[in-house]
Each structure stands twice: as C-alpha cells, then as structure tokens.
Amino acid sequence: MEAQDCQAAAMPEPPRPPARDCLAGWWDMVERNLRSFPHSCSTLGRKIAALYDSFTSKSLKEHVFPPLIDMLIYFNFFKAPFLVDLKKPELKIPHTVNFYLTVEPGVMLGIWHTVPSCRAEDAKGKDRGWYEAALRDGNPIIVYLHGSAEHRAASHRLRLVKVLSDGGFHVLSVDYRGFGDSTGKPTEEGLTVDAICVYEWTKTRSGITPVCLWGHSLGTGVATNAAKVLEEKGCPVDAIVLEAPFTNMWVASINYPLLKIYRNIPGFLRTLMDALRKDKIVFPNDENVKFLSSPLLILHGEDDRTVPLEYGKKLYEIAHKAYRNKERVKMVIFPPGFQHNLLCKSPTLLIAVRDFLSKQWS
C-alpha cells in the first residue's frame, strides 16, 4: 500500500521537447557566444597591450633598481640572529618583557622593554602590566630605534641595552614594521609613524618621567623624522640621541660599502638618485635638525667606516647653527676602536649620555 501511495503522489514527468527544438536552442546559444567572442578578445587584447606598454615604458633598471635599493637600505630580510624566540627575551637579556603594539591595520610592532638593572629583583616573575606601570618610576626612558638589518636581539644592540639598563634607564627596543617579527613592509613614512606611535604610547604611561628618542645609523633618520613631526604638533620630544648619524640618505647611500664599488659606472649615481626619489627614501637629518628644539646629543666614532665621522660633524654644525639655545646641542667623538656598532663598549659612553641628559632635564 505504501508503494502504491508513493506512486500516486508522484508528479508526472513534463513532456520532453522535440529533439529539433533542443538543437535549435543549443545553436542559438553558440551564435550568441560567437557574436560576443570578438568583443571579449578585443577587451583582453587591450588589457594585455596596456600591461605591455606599462612595462616597456620603463627600462629594466627602473623595474629592478628601486626594489634593490629598498633591500640595501633596510636589509630587513636579514633576520639575524636566527633561531631566536623573540617572544622570550629573558633567554637573551634579563629583566625584560616582550609585547606587541598595533600601529595601524596590518602593522604590529614587536618591542622589548628592559627595566633598569636596579629594579631587576622587583621584575622577577612580573607580567607586562607591571613593566608598563614601572615606566612611571622616575627612571628615564629611552626608545631605541635601531639601524638596518637584523632585529632587536642583535648582539651589539643587546650590549647597548645592557649598558643603558645598568646606567638606570628603561629601554624600549623597537623592531620597525617588516623587521624581526613585526608585520608590514618598511617605508620611510611607515618607520616614522612607528617611532611616533611608540613615543606617544610611552609618554602617556610615563607621567613626568622624561622619554628620549635614541637612533642608531638608519634609526637616526627615523628619530629626526619623528621628532620633527612631534615638534610640528607642539609636542617636542624630551631629548634626542643620534648615534653614528648621516646627513641624508642620498649622501649615506653613495658611501655605503656595498655600493661604493659601483660609483664610477656611467649613470649609476643618477639611477641611484632616481630610485631613492621613486621610493621616497630621504631621511633628511640635515633638514630636520633645523626645525628642532629638543636637546640633541650626537655620538660618533673616529673609525666609523660605514657612516664616516665627517657626516656626524657636518650634522652637528648644521644643528648648532640652527638652534637658538646652543647649549642644547652637543657632539661627543669617540677614539678609534669602536667602529660603527660598538660605541657601547666605550667606558665613557654612559657618562657622556647621563651628563648631557641630566643637565638638560635638571
């Protein structure tokens, strides 16, 4: 009975159209597609032609050189030291915590906060909240903006952080976008935004404790860019330390060790300048310092071959001439033996920094 009920309830099949009707419908569809085919081909052809024109309108060097210059300026793809867990700074340096700061959608910065060594015992077992609250303890704070290549766990950077921590400073070691485990792609504008974001984040949590921007090499350009923007906003930074600074990226690039050997190639310098202009890479320390009022300390080694001492001296002369209060600008030159990355080994570095900042902040 159930089977009979199901059969009775089933809907009758619709009548099938004659075969010639199906064939006619299929042929109509083919005709429509054939009629639209020339238009589709024409559209595709125009797109291919546009791409071809776009590519051939530039020389091969224009396609290759800007990305190559980006790699040489930032060198962020070289993420040494390798096999380091950046989430666990305590494996590399004591009384330090790792945290992340979101700058904008898609950009998150990795930062290590090292407290002064005098607070090492207090810091044991503490979480990020404790470290953040410690920024108000009255010990001065340094936002450290490193140079190109590697990341915040590089040995020479850790050595400097330890010296500063032993000297009573909080140190926030920042990996810009695209460096270390920070997300995003490095650009001059982006690195500047990163520095401003970290500085302002720190100032809102430090109370009356002073905060200093410390830039090394490439980081000097980031520091003065950020300081100029903050100056224009009416919030000059509490102090700036420039370690091994250049005047601007154009001058620094033509003396960059990896590029020096190509300077005599016809057209090389013009191509280099065009690439820097295209990617908007300037880092104009020599122009930025003309607009600053913050205490400015320049540190440079006599035997620095990466950024020769003459550039640091030139930058000091420009700043000293531009500053109304000449006592706010100082330069300290270190004897041979420390080259580009190891001023932290000088026994007089900490003395020079503390002496300058204490006078400015008194």
Side-chain angles (χ1 to χ4, degrees), residues 17 54 86 185 198 225 233 258 279 290 295 327:
S54 174
L86 294 173
K185 178 184 177 182
V198 177
N225 274 356
K233 292 170 65 174
L258 291 177
D279 287 353
K290 296 177 182 178
E327 294 183 357

Side-chain angles (χ1 to χ4, degrees), residues 315-331:
L315 187 63
Y316 169 74
E317 291 171 3
I318 295 171
H320 191 265
K321 181 179 180 180
Y323 268 62
R324 291 183 178 180
N325 185 347
K326 308 302 182 184
E327 294 183 357
R328 288 203 148 203
V329 187
K330 183 177 181 180
M331 182 172 189

Side-chain angles (χ1 to χ4, degrees), residues 136-312:
R136 291 178 173 269
D137 65 8
N139 291 301
I141 304 164
I142 288 175
V143 174
Y144 178 62
L145 306 170
H146 63 63
S148 61
E150 303 181 295
H151 50 65
R152 58 193 185 277
S155 60
H156 63 282
R157 292 167 188 160
L158 293 182
R159 191 163 190 163
L160 174 63
V161 171
K162 187 177 186 306
V163 168
L164 294 174
S165 174
D166 289 346
F169 292 93
H170 287 271
V171 185
L172 298 180
S173 303
V174 183
D175 268 329
Y176 320 107
R177 62 186 68 196
F179 286 78
D181 57 350
S182 298
T183 58
K185 178 184 177 182
T187 63
E188 179 171 351
E189 181 182 4
L191 268 59
T192 302
V193 170
D194 295 345
I196 293 171
C197 179
V198 177
Y199 180 83
E200 292 182 331
W201 180 92
T202 306
K203 283 295 290 182
T204 61
R205 290 158 177 78
S206 62
I208 60 173
T209 304
V211 181
C212 171
L213 286 181
W214 181 309
H216 171 243
S217 195
L218 173 68
T220 64
V222 180
T224 64
N225 274 356
K228 182 185 176 185
V229 173
L230 290 165
E231 187 93 28
E232 291 170 345
K233 292 170 65 174
C235 305
V237 300
D238 296 330
I240 307 165
V241 175
L242 302 181
E243 179 188 357
F246 48 85
T247 49
N248 58 68
M249 189 53 71
W250 162 243
V251 174
S253 295
I254 61 177
N255 289 280
Y256 192 64
L258 291 177
L259 296 178
K260 270 186 176 181
I261 58 177
Y262 300 107
R263 283 193 301 182
N264 294 327
I265 298 176
F268 173 78
L269 294 180
R270 178 180 293 277
T271 302
L272 173 62
M273 191 171 183
D274 289 344
L276 292 172
R277 186 184 299 111
K278 175 179 174 58
D279 287 353
K280 299 179 181 178
I281 301 176
V282 186
F283 293 107
N285 283 333
D286 50 356
E287 291 299 319
N288 288 339
V289 296
K290 296 177 182 178
F291 301 93
L292 303 181
S293 62
S294 304
L296 175 64
L297 175 63
I298 296 176
L299 310 171
H300 221 124
E302 286 187 11
D303 60 349
D304 189 331
R305 295 182 180 180
T306 304
V307 181
L309 173 61
E310 62 185 281
Y311 300 141

